[in-house]
Amino acid sequence: MKRIVIVGGGISGLTVAYRLHELSCEKEIPIDMTLLEGRSRLGGVIETQSKDGFLLEYGPDALMTDRPWSINLCKRLGIESELIGMQKEADHSYIVCKGKMCRIPTGFYLLAPSNIKALVQSHFLSSAGKLRLAAELFIPKRKSKDDESVGSFIRRRFGREVLERLGEPLLAGIYTAHPDQLSMQAVLPHFREMESKYGSVTRGLWALREKHGMKDCTEENSRKMFVTFKDGMRRLIHALIENMPDVSFATSTPVEKIAFDHMRILEVTIQGGAVIEADAVCLALPAMRSSEIVNSFSPRLAEKLADIKYESVVTVNVAYDELAFPKRLDGAGFVIPSVENRRLVGSIFSSIKFDGRAPKGAVLIRTFLGNAIQRNNVDLDDQEMRQLVTEELRDILGVTREPLFIDIQRYEMSIPQYGLNYQKLLKAIESERAECPGLFLTGNAFAGVGLTSCIHQAELIAEKMFLQFCETTENHVQTVGQV
Ligand SMILES: Cc1cc2nc3c(=O)[nH]c(=O)nc-3n(C[C@H](O)[C@H](O)[C@H](O)COP(=O)(O)OP(=O)(O)OC[C@H]3O[C@@H](n4cnc5c(N)ncnc54)[C@H](O)[C@@H]3O)c2cc1C
């Protein structure tokens, strides 16, 4: 029986294990599978806690449904019926503009309006900013096929104001990076394609709208983009674990290194010195952790993995009595452009966004701090952070009472920075990895930060491992391919 070790028990590692388990059952080829997790619990950054009738998400709070992979996984796990969509009141979001909450009009697709009404209603832009945004239709397309920063693309096509007021806060919320440091090829390749195919992103969006009827960019559709579980994101982790009884899970088992023995069998060394032999190993870890583990085995791969930089993020769940607000909250939340000089990245109105997040008469807000633009804030101690969040929410939302409680969760170096020429770096990593028979890599550094992308990437890697190690009688047959 082939022995496979998966290192890392976040969504990526668990999905690799589950897909291998599925293939093993389907093809009736048993696998001896072990998943090693450094911490005392599985789930990685996915963490849900119940507290005083509130349901707190520390890490991700939703799955994106724009691509099918996460919903497909839920279907296969038998938990699709437990998914809930966003509530009606959460069908819009806000941008803080000159200290005030400004509603993002329906019809905005990230940075570009898919209709004229959306453009006219964008109160967070000056008249000059709107004209410059409209001029995107006539800006000649870029000839070079080289990578470009997202900041440069937005500035070039939509103007500085759209970058500062819309692009930067929206992208900082997802990638924790400044747009000038993000790779267009890695982050917004479809916008580049629209530019090259239609000569303009706006024109590309109109063409899409035409193709799909009036369906895209409506409030209802934007609500359907995000789903979660009635019991929070932890449900996905529990379902994965419950559905693979043949996998051995070892928590509190940090892996230190991997190496080949004299028979070219992989040896996985755990902190404390215990060694596990394996035919194949998948590292489903942040890239810098994988880099440390492969260092003695392939210094060149380690060096390339270490080139992937990460940023930290802090989530602060703040619970209030609903009477603390001058008016009833609505919307999914708000983002704050850095030109506003505030100390938060943005907030999600958790109890408006999804049902069952706060008891009756209470409100739950999840606030984000820290990214490449406001790095200093993540170093504040808990007391300073509590004060900062309370003051900022008081100022922005007019809150008049103290919070019922504040819960702080820190995710250090958790979000990979998809920098300029990122695809080139990934290719270089893949060609080094292909030189290490039996070694596979996955995680949020490889094909997208969101859960849906992590799931897809992990499934592809599992299929590759199965094909190369379980369906063939020969060990260590490797093909050089793109991860
Ligand atoms: C605060 C926050 C909010 C987010 N919100 C969303 C959202 O709403 N929707 C969305 O789609 N995405 C969201 N994301 C992104 C998404 O959640 C992550 O990209 C994804 O969960 C990463 O999963 P992973 O398994 O690749 O990594 P991780 O979850 O980081 O898992 C890696 C695991 O490896 C373990 N490990 C590390 N070193 C070792 C070692 N040496 N030995 C053994 N184990 C080790 C770690 O303990 C960890 O459990 C969010 C991310 C964060 C941080």
Side-chain angles (χ1 to χ4, degrees):
M1 203 189 319
K2 290 292 154 66
R3 296 155 304 175
I4 292 186
V5 171
I6 296 148
V7 187
I11 189 67
S12 300
L14 288 168
T15 306
V16 170
Y18 182 65
R19 186 70 192 122
L20 281 168
H21 157 83
E22 282 184 317
L23 290 166
S24 153
C25 297
E26 213 175 279
K27 309 266 173 165
E28 298 181 2
I29 301 175
I31 310 173
D32 175 356
M33 220 187 323
T34 306
L35 187 146
L36 307 173
E37 164 55 45
R39 294 174 66 192
S40 58
R41 49 165 284 281
L42 295 168
V45 300
I46 299 181
E47 281 186 276
T48 312
Q49 284 294 329
S50 303
K51 182 172 178 173
D52 303 341
F54 291 83
L55 193 82
L56 313 183
E57 293 290 7
Y58 290 157
D61 72 340
L63 294 166
M64 273 195 82
T65 61
D66 58 338
R67 284 164 304 162
W69 308 305
S70 44
I71 301 298
N72 282 348
L73 176 64
C74 294
K75 281 185 190 158
R76 281 158 28 227
L77 290 168
I79 52 172
E80 196 199 2
S81 62
E82 296 172 48
L83 285 168
I84 54 170
M86 278 162 66
Q87 305 198 94
K88 177 93 186 71
E89 308 94 289
D91 62 6
H92 56 278
S93 298
Y94 291 91
I95 286 196
V96 174
C97 183
K98 304 198 171 87
K100 298 227 156 35
M101 298 267 283
C102 227
R103 188 171 166 152
I104 304 176
T106 311
F108 257 88
Y109 180 72
L110 207 55
L111 327 153
S114 67
N115 58 52
I116 296 291
K117 202 169 149 211
L119 173 67
V120 175
Q121 288 177 343
S122 3
H123 299 305
F124 50 89
L125 293 176
S126 67
S127 304
K130 285 181 196 173
L131 279 175
R132 178 62 185 81
L133 173 55
E136 198 272 331
L137 285 162
F138 311 105
I139 303 285
K141 64 180 173 190
R142 181 172 177 254
K143 297 222 170 66
S144 166
K145 294 224 175 337
D146 292 347
D147 200 7
E148 174 183 22
S149 80
V150 171
S152 146
F153 180 88
I154 301 175
R155 222 177 267 114
R156 181 167 65 72
R157 296 225 55 91
F158 299 98
R160 184 186 50 81
E161 208 176 317
V162 169
L163 174 65
E164 285 179 0
R165 289 274 157 205
L166 196 61
E168 180 263 306
L170 289 178
L171 291 160
I174 305 169
Y175 293 96
T176 65
H178 191 284
D180 285 336
Q181 258 93 55
L182 279 174
S183 151
M184 200 60 202
Q185 275 171 2
V187 171
L188 293 174
H190 50 299
F191 272 28
R192 261 178 72 106
E193 278 158 30
M194 283 184 206
E195 179 188 37
S196 82
K197 187 165 171 194
Y198 299 98
S200 137
V201 177
T202 314
R203 246 188 265 276
L205 284 173
W206 288 352
L208 272 184
R209 199 165 140 248
E210 194 83 353
K211 200 167 153 197
H212 300 294
M214 292 298 288
K215 278 196 199 133
D216 62 329
C217 299
T218 63
E219 289 179 344
E220 202 191 336
N221 270 341
S222 68
R223 270 200 300 137
K224 283 190 197 148
M225 284 270 280
F226 299 95
V227 294
T228 189
F229 299 91
K230 218 165 122 281
D231 290 335
M233 293 301 298
R234 62 185 165 195
R235 181 67 187 110
L236 179 58
I237 300 304
H238 293 164
L240 279 162
I241 299 165
E242 285 157 14
N243 274 278
M244 37 182 169
D246 52 335
V247 177
S248 311
F249 296 102
T251 49
S252 305
T253 311
V255 168
E256 261 183 9
K257 63 170 185 177
I258 53 174
F260 277 126
D261 73 0
H262 63 287
M263 299 286 287
R264 304 287 293 159
I265 300 285
L266 278 163
E267 290 182 334
V268 180
T269 307
I270 294 156
Q271 209 176 69
V275 173
I276 302 178
E277 286 194 344
D279 298 299
V281 174
C282 178
L283 301 180
L285 304 170
M288 69 286 205
R289 295 282 95 81
S290 296
S291 165
E292 289 159 10
I293 289 172
V294 301
N295 195 23
S296 58
F297 170 79
S298 170
R300 286 210 312 248
L301 175 58
E303 197 186 311
K304 299 242 162 1
L305 284 166
D307 280 345
I308 299 181
K309 304 294 173 231
Y310 280 74
E311 284 293 337
S312 303
V313 61
V314 182
T315 56
V316 185
N317 277 284
V318 195
Y320 289 103
D321 189 311
E322 68 178 0
L323 297 175
F325 297 87
K327 69 178 184 72
R328 203 180 138 76
L329 279 189
D330 63 280
F334 61 85
V335 290
I336 313 179
S338 60
V339 286
E340 289 287 314
N341 286 320
R342 303 218 70 106
R343 293 168 294 168
L344 305 180
V345 175
S347 295
I348 289 175
F349 301 152
S350 306
S351 54
I352 313 285
K353 190 172 173 185
F354 295 117
D355 188 27
R357 270 49 193 160
K360 207 170 166 9
V363 167
L364 183 65
I365 296 181
R366 199 161 77 114
T367 283
F368 295 86
L369 280 95
N371 58 24
I373 306 162
Q374 306 178 346
R375 219 169 260 143
N376 296 345
N377 287 338
V378 299
D379 298 328
L380 297 177
D381 66 30
D382 282 6
Q383 188 47 39
E384 291 168 324
M385 211 170 269
R386 273 195 196 96
Q387 192 178 340
L388 180 158
V389 169
T390 316
E391 284 171 7
E392 289 286 297
L393 291 179
R394 195 183 297 145
D395 226 31
I396 296 165
L397 301 174
V399 185
T400 54
R401 295 189 185 186
E402 287 301 304
L404 301 172
F405 66 78
I406 297 182
D407 199 311
I408 298 169
Q409 197 67 26
R410 297 165 192 268
Y411 291 102
E412 276 172 33
M413 298 297 155
S414 54
I415 307 286
Q417 303 294 287
Y418 285 23
L420 216 54
N421 295 316
Y422 197 70
Q423 306 295 30
K424 269 193 194 154
L425 175 59
L426 290 186
K427 274 199 184 117
I429 289 173
E430 173 53 15
S431 74
E432 291 299 338
R433 184 217 59 90
E435 298 293 316
C436 308
L439 177 68
F440 295 83
L441 300 166
T442 193
N444 64 4
F446 293 94
V449 173
L451 292 166
T452 303
S453 304
C454 291
I455 287 168
H456 182 52
Q457 176 67 6
E459 290 183 340
L460 293 178
I461 292 295
E463 283 160 19
K464 198 165 171 177
M465 290 178 86
F466 190 80
L467 190 70
Q468 292 181 15
F469 285 87
C470 305
E471 277 196 316
T472 157
T473 47
E474 274 180 52
N475 271 0
H476 305 148
V477 179
Q478 285 272 316
T479 51
V480 180
Q482 173 69 26
V483 171

